[in-house]
Amino acid sequence: MTAQTHIVTSTGRATAGGFAVSFSAVRLRPLIAVLIASAVLLGVTLGGVIVPADVHLGVLLVAVPALTAAADNTCTTVSMTALACLGVVAVDVDDGLPSSPILPIDVLGLLVVCALVLVFRRLRDVDHRTLHAVRCVSETAQKALLPPLPCRLAGLEIATAYRSAAAHAHIGGDVYAAERVDRTVRMLIGDVRGNGLAAVDDAAAVIGAFREVAHRELQLEHVAVSLDAGVRRRVDQAGERDTHASERFITALVLEIPDDFPVVRVISCGHPDSMRSHGEDVDLLEVPQPAPPLGLGDEQTAYQVNTFRFEPEDTLLLHTDGLLEARDGSGAFYPALDRFALLAEDEPHYLIERLMSDLTVHAGGEVQDDVAVVAVRRRAAPSTGGADEDSHHAGPDLQTFPTDCGSR
């Protein structure tokens, strides 16, 4: 699970908890297999020559081609099988069996095992190519649905991370987005209830709706009203073909950070409270009266805007409930606020990477829920240049993202 649980960060890298260790193990596995096969070949051959003739060890050489199954190519298996055949001939001749049917049977056994290894390796390679194609599609969908936020947006430094708990998956039901509106940055982080294609569909819809209404609505509460109405429309439409559609909803935080005032305005729609660091102090931005999740409201729902101080060098940590609900082997929840307090002085991209690595260790490499995390720091000298200062660059490697925000 560790090597299959991916983290996508806005630093231009795709990482995974324990991935580096797993990757090294994968690279070393063929070499280890060949070394063990060689040791077995040498040991059995020498042992077969040394021990008395009535102790026949040649049959054990069938382990040699079997052990090369972990090797990467056909040539290795064929070469080791040829050496094993020479070894079995040497052992059988030493045992006085050159004319016995045992010799061809031993050789035939080696050839059969070699053939089976080659056949199953071929089938494995086909599966690997299929999995690679599926993951390429998943990565493309990830880039379209949930691209990392800009490293810099007006007077803010931003870092993001997304971890999918599903094996071999890069996408799920956690969402985040940011839009520059006049002299304000509006942001969304949310968690779609459920999983599978329905959750991905809802996630794509709410991000698209946010990008539109963030520019259309002047008041933050009107943004929340429009998002809720859009989700309810989708639920009503889905109800015609899905009997469980009424159970679909999205918890969310809708925020705006103005350039000219050291505050952040927050509307909570049933979502976990964000965390804030200010100097050496770290606290929760607790919303006293959260609104219902998106999709569960109505025309009478009141969306209360809560205003908190957000001064230069302060850091906000937005997250989904996967960060809070990760458990260790004893069942203890991840102490997110305490860990954030230890890491809050780091630059956002380092904070995110260290936090996600720490989460992986706490959960033993098996996080059971999707996790999305966004760290936002206000610069000491907020820029007034507007959207021209947004940082978008293409990065290489596994996915196309903005380049490393940490380069200095």
Side-chain angles (χ1 to χ4, degrees):
M1 183 64 135
T2 301
Q4 298 169 349
T5 305
H6 302 271
I7 304 171
V8 178
T9 70
S10 62
T11 62
R13 295 186 291 272
T15 62
F19 183 79
V21 175
S22 299
F23 181 73
S24 298
V26 170
R27 293 293 299 270
L28 289 175
R29 191 180 303 157
L31 177 60
I32 294 173
V34 172
L35 291 176
I36 294 175
S38 300
V40 170
L41 173 61
L42 184 61
V44 172
T45 302
L46 292 178
V49 173
I50 295 172
V51 300
D54 57 343
V55 180
H56 185 61
L57 300 181
V59 68
L60 298 179
L61 289 173
V62 295
V64 173
L67 288 169
T68 64
D72 293 330
N73 54 66
T74 300
C75 182
T76 300
T77 299
V78 172
S79 300
M80 294 301 296
T81 301
L83 293 175
C85 288
L86 294 177
V88 81
V89 169
V91 172
D92 286 356
V93 169
D94 183 73
D95 290 344
L97 304 173
S99 302
S100 170
I102 294 179
L103 176 57
I105 291 175
D106 287 344
V107 173
L108 180 62
L110 287 168
L111 297 178
V112 168
V113 172
C114 176
L116 290 175
V117 168
L118 296 179
V119 169
F120 284 110
R121 180 183 291 138
R122 173 66 177 175
L123 296 176
R124 182 196 65 186
D125 291 343
V126 171
D127 289 341
H128 283 183
R129 284 195 295 269
T130 302
L131 176 61
H132 176 71
V134 171
R135 292 183 64 180
C136 287
V137 173
S138 175
E139 291 162 11
T140 302
Q142 169 73 30
K143 289 184 287 185
L145 172 63
L146 198 66
L149 305 183
C151 301
R152 295 176 179 83
L153 191 58
L156 306 176
E157 294 181 1
I158 302 174
T160 62
Y162 181 84
R163 178 195 299 274
S164 173
H168 306 300
H170 289 258
I171 56 178
D174 289 0
V175 299
Y176 48 73
E179 291 294 318
R180 179 78 167 140
V181 183
D182 296 328
R183 295 182 58 78
T184 299
V185 174
R186 285 179 168 171
M187 303 185 70
L188 168 76
I189 186 166
D191 186 354
V192 179
R193 184 190 182 278
N195 48 43
L197 293 178
V200 174
D201 185 47
D202 289 345
V206 75
I207 289 178
F210 173 78
R211 289 171 176 164
E212 177 183 352
V213 302
H215 293 272
R216 187 182 67 208
E217 304 290 354
L218 296 179
Q219 302 296 325
L220 188 63
E221 53 266 44
H222 295 164
V223 173
V225 169
S226 297
L227 290 175
D228 178 71
V231 174
R232 283 190 283 115
R233 278 195 304 272
R234 289 183 58 81
V235 169
D236 292 341
Q237 294 170 357
E240 300 176 0
R241 57 185 184 277
D242 182 2
T243 57
H244 299 289
S246 60
E247 301 175 3
R248 290 160 63 176
F249 58 84
I250 303 169
T251 67
L253 287 181
V254 184
L255 310 91
E256 67 177 14
I257 304 172
D259 292 353
D260 302 326
F261 302 96
V263 299
V264 55
R265 304 184 183 104
V266 181
I267 293 177
S268 174
C269 301
H271 196 79
D273 293 323
S274 57
M275 306 175 196
R276 176 190 60 187
S277 72
H278 174 70
E280 297 181 355
D281 299 326
V282 172
D283 58 356
L284 285 176
L285 301 186
E286 297 184 87
V287 175
Q289 295 180 340
L294 301 176
L296 299 183
D298 54 36
E299 289 76 8
Q300 307 303 320
T301 300
Y303 292 94
Q304 179 178 343
V305 179
N306 301 267
T307 302
F308 303 93
R309 299 292 294 179
F310 185 46
E311 300 178 353
E313 299 304 325
D314 288 0
T315 300
L316 282 179
L317 186 70
L318 315 176
H319 58 87
T320 56
D321 60 7
L323 182 71
L324 304 177
E325 296 177 356
R327 297 172 182 260
D328 62 10
S330 66
F333 290 108
Y334 181 68
L337 185 62
D338 293 339
R339 294 295 199 269
F340 176 55
L342 295 175
L343 303 173
E345 294 184 0
D346 288 351
E347 295 183 16
H349 63 283
Y350 288 130
L351 188 159
I352 289 291
E353 290 183 357
R354 293 178 64 186
L355 186 70
M356 297 301 278
S357 296
D358 186 63
L359 177 68
T360 300
V361 173
H362 177 85
E366 296 187 4
V367 178
Q368 301 300 321
D369 194 8
D370 296 342
V371 181
V373 182
V374 180
V376 184
R377 174 170 294 177
R378 189 189 284 275
R379 293 181 190 169
S383 168
T384 59
D388 290 340
E389 294 196 8
D390 299 356
S391 174
H392 288 279
H393 303 284
D397 206 4
L398 193 59
Q399 304 190 33
T400 302
F401 293 134
T403 54
D404 189 350
C405 303
S407 57
R408 292 172 290 176

